[in-house]
Amino acid sequence: MIDESALTVRHWGRRARRFVRWFITRDRHDRLAMWHLDRLAEALAARGWRTKRRFEVSPVTLHVGPTRHAPASEELTATHFGGWVYLTRSSAVPIPCADLAEAVTEVERIIWRRLKKASQASANRS
């Protein structure tokens, strides 16, 4: 008889060591960017948005959309320009990280605007 709890602990121990090794190799800027993007992802997920964290790439990014395969989705990064800000690919205006509620509202506004453009473009083709 194999004790499954021991196997589970060993498996999770390996995963934890692998994560710690990976996390230590990241510089401080990437770790802080991950923290800011993780906060935003949790807030957006609480409002019903689908989020996908891409922390294995550099710079770290957060993919946000209303559904998994939406025509309008947004890729966000966090960086430091005198203060931490979120940057999107479709908008040149930085979104301050300090006010999370305002950042969530701004990201939603950007995505809804892109969804509206996508629906208008498909209506014009018909």
Side-chain angles (χ1 to χ4, degrees), residues 3 8 30 50 52-53 55 68 74 76 89 93 96 98 102 104 108 110 114:
D3 182 18
T8 303
D30 277 350
R50 289 185 68 89
K52 182 175 190 252
R53 297 163 178 92
F55 291 170
R68 177 173 240 153
E74 197 59 48
L76 293 118
R89 290 189 177 188
V93 179
E102 183 65 33
V104 168
E108 287 178 333
I110 290 169
R114 291 189 63 197

Short mmCIF file of all heavy atoms in Angstrom, two decimals, residues 3 8 30 50 52-53 55 68 74 76 89 93 96 98 102 104 108 110 114:
data_model
loop_
_atom_site.label_atom_id
_atom_site.label_comp_id
_atom_site.label_asym_id
_atom_site.label_seq_id
_atom_site.Cartn_x
_atom_site.Cartn_y
_atom_site.Cartn_z
N ASP A 3 1.41 5.23 0.53
CA ASP A 3 0.83 6.37 1.26
C ASP A 3 0.76 7.55 0.29
O ASP A 3 1.78 8.14 -0.06
CB ASP A 3 1.70 6.70 2.47
CG ASP A 3 1.10 7.84 3.28
OD1 ASP A 3 -0.10 8.12 3.10
OD2 ASP A 3 1.84 8.42 4.07
N THR A 8 2.02 13.18 -2.34
CA THR A 8 1.51 14.53 -2.60
C THR A 8 2.44 15.58 -2.00
O THR A 8 2.77 16.57 -2.63
CB THR A 8 0.09 14.68 -2.03
OG1 THR A 8 -0.74 13.68 -2.60
CG2 THR A 8 -0.47 16.05 -2.32
N ASP A 30 10.88 43.06 -11.86
CA ASP A 30 9.92 42.06 -12.33
C ASP A 30 9.02 41.57 -11.21
O ASP A 30 7.82 41.36 -11.40
CB ASP A 30 10.63 40.87 -12.96
CG ASP A 30 11.01 41.12 -14.41
OD1 ASP A 30 10.56 42.13 -14.97
OD2 ASP A 30 11.75 40.30 -14.97
N ARG A 50 -12.06 37.65 -17.51
CA ARG A 50 -11.11 36.54 -17.59
C ARG A 50 -9.70 37.11 -17.67
O ARG A 50 -9.44 37.99 -18.48
CB ARG A 50 -11.38 35.67 -18.81
CG ARG A 50 -12.64 34.87 -18.67
CD ARG A 50 -12.82 33.93 -19.82
NE ARG A 50 -11.83 32.87 -19.84
CZ ARG A 50 -11.97 31.70 -19.22
NH1 ARG A 50 -13.04 31.48 -18.51
NH2 ARG A 50 -11.06 30.78 -19.32
N LYS A 52 -5.39 36.19 -17.64
CA LYS A 52 -4.34 35.18 -17.78
C LYS A 52 -3.01 35.87 -17.48
O LYS A 52 -2.61 36.79 -18.18
CB LYS A 52 -4.31 34.59 -19.18
CG LYS A 52 -3.25 33.52 -19.32
CD LYS A 52 -3.33 32.86 -20.68
CE LYS A 52 -2.44 31.67 -20.66
NZ LYS A 52 -1.27 31.73 -21.37
N ARG A 53 -2.37 35.41 -16.43
CA ARG A 53 -1.08 35.99 -16.05
C ARG A 53 0.01 35.34 -16.87
O ARG A 53 0.07 34.12 -16.97
CB ARG A 53 -0.83 35.74 -14.56
CG ARG A 53 -1.82 36.42 -13.66
CD ARG A 53 -1.75 35.79 -12.27
NE ARG A 53 -2.64 36.42 -11.34
CZ ARG A 53 -3.88 36.03 -11.10
NH1 ARG A 53 -4.39 35.02 -11.77
NH2 ARG A 53 -4.61 36.65 -10.23
N PHE A 55 3.63 35.46 -16.43
CA PHE A 55 4.77 35.89 -15.64
C PHE A 55 6.06 35.20 -16.05
O PHE A 55 7.11 35.51 -15.54
CB PHE A 55 4.51 35.63 -14.15
CG PHE A 55 3.44 36.51 -13.57
CD1 PHE A 55 2.96 36.26 -12.31
CD2 PHE A 55 2.92 37.59 -14.26
CE1 PHE A 55 1.98 37.06 -11.74
CE2 PHE A 55 1.94 38.39 -13.72
CZ PHE A 55 1.47 38.13 -12.45
N ARG A 68 -12.73 33.85 -23.02
CA ARG A 68 -11.43 33.29 -23.38
C ARG A 68 -11.00 33.70 -24.80
O ARG A 68 -9.87 34.06 -25.04
CB ARG A 68 -11.48 31.78 -23.26
CG ARG A 68 -10.21 31.13 -23.70
CD ARG A 68 -10.21 29.67 -23.43
NE ARG A 68 -9.09 29.43 -22.54
CZ ARG A 68 -8.98 28.47 -21.70
NH1 ARG A 68 -9.95 27.61 -21.57
NH2 ARG A 68 -7.92 28.33 -20.95
N GLU A 74 -7.08 42.78 -23.90
CA GLU A 74 -6.02 43.76 -23.65
C GLU A 74 -4.84 43.09 -22.98
O GLU A 74 -4.99 42.23 -22.14
CB GLU A 74 -6.57 44.87 -22.75
CG GLU A 74 -5.75 46.11 -22.72
CD GLU A 74 -5.60 46.74 -24.08
OE1 GLU A 74 -6.59 46.91 -24.80
OE2 GLU A 74 -4.45 47.07 -24.44
N LEU A 76 -1.63 43.94 -20.69
CA LEU A 76 -1.14 44.99 -19.80
C LEU A 76 0.23 44.62 -19.24
O LEU A 76 0.52 43.45 -19.02
CB LEU A 76 -2.09 45.18 -18.62
CG LEU A 76 -3.45 45.74 -18.97
CD1 LEU A 76 -4.51 44.75 -18.61
CD2 LEU A 76 -3.65 47.01 -18.21
N ARG A 89 -1.42 48.08 -24.65
CA ARG A 89 -0.94 48.18 -26.03
C ARG A 89 -1.78 49.14 -26.86
O ARG A 89 -1.29 49.72 -27.81
CB ARG A 89 -0.94 46.81 -26.67
CG ARG A 89 0.11 45.92 -26.10
CD ARG A 89 0.24 44.67 -26.87
NE ARG A 89 1.33 43.88 -26.30
CZ ARG A 89 1.80 42.80 -26.83
NH1 ARG A 89 1.28 42.35 -27.95
NH2 ARG A 89 2.78 42.16 -26.26
N VAL A 93 -1.89 56.25 -22.82
CA VAL A 93 -2.01 56.90 -21.52
C VAL A 93 -1.71 55.88 -20.42
O VAL A 93 -2.37 54.84 -20.34
CB VAL A 93 -3.43 57.47 -21.34
CG1 VAL A 93 -3.58 58.12 -19.97
CG2 VAL A 93 -3.76 58.44 -22.44
N PRO A 96 -2.36 54.81 -13.44
CA PRO A 96 -1.66 54.69 -12.15
C PRO A 96 -2.06 53.44 -11.38
O PRO A 96 -3.24 53.09 -11.33
CB PRO A 96 -2.08 55.95 -11.39
CG PRO A 96 -2.62 56.87 -12.41
CD PRO A 96 -3.14 56.04 -13.53
N ALA A 98 -1.59 53.07 -8.12
CA ALA A 98 -1.89 53.39 -6.72
C ALA A 98 -3.39 53.26 -6.43
O ALA A 98 -3.77 52.76 -5.38
CB ALA A 98 -1.41 54.80 -6.40
N GLU A 102 -9.79 52.75 -9.64
CA GLU A 102 -9.73 53.58 -10.84
C GLU A 102 -9.06 52.83 -11.99
O GLU A 102 -9.47 52.95 -13.15
CB GLU A 102 -8.98 54.88 -10.54
CG GLU A 102 -8.92 55.85 -11.70
CD GLU A 102 -10.29 56.37 -12.10
OE1 GLU A 102 -11.15 56.53 -11.24
OE2 GLU A 102 -10.47 56.61 -13.31
N VAL A 104 -9.07 49.56 -12.50
CA VAL A 104 -10.03 48.56 -12.99
C VAL A 104 -11.05 49.23 -13.90
O VAL A 104 -11.36 48.74 -14.99
CB VAL A 104 -10.72 47.84 -11.81
CG1 VAL A 104 -11.90 47.02 -12.29
CG2 VAL A 104 -9.72 46.96 -11.09
N GLU A 108 -11.51 48.43 -17.94
CA GLU A 108 -12.83 48.05 -18.46
C GLU A 108 -13.28 48.99 -19.57
O GLU A 108 -13.81 48.56 -20.59
CB GLU A 108 -13.87 48.05 -17.33
CG GLU A 108 -13.73 46.91 -16.38
CD GLU A 108 -14.74 46.97 -15.25
OE1 GLU A 108 -15.19 48.08 -14.90
OE2 GLU A 108 -15.05 45.90 -14.72
N ILE A 110 -11.41 50.73 -21.61
CA ILE A 110 -10.60 50.48 -22.81
C ILE A 110 -11.11 49.23 -23.52
O ILE A 110 -11.27 49.22 -24.75
CB ILE A 110 -9.11 50.34 -22.43
CG1 ILE A 110 -8.55 51.69 -22.00
CG2 ILE A 110 -8.30 49.77 -23.59
CD1 ILE A 110 -7.17 51.62 -21.36
N ARG A 114 -12.96 48.84 -27.29
CA ARG A 114 -12.47 47.94 -28.34
C ARG A 114 -13.56 46.97 -28.78
O ARG A 114 -13.67 46.64 -29.96
CB ARG A 114 -11.23 47.20 -27.88
CG ARG A 114 -10.05 48.15 -27.74
CD ARG A 114 -8.78 47.45 -27.49
NE ARG A 114 -8.44 46.59 -28.61
CZ ARG A 114 -7.55 45.62 -28.55
NH1 ARG A 114 -6.93 45.38 -27.42
NH2 ARG A 114 -7.28 44.89 -29.60
#
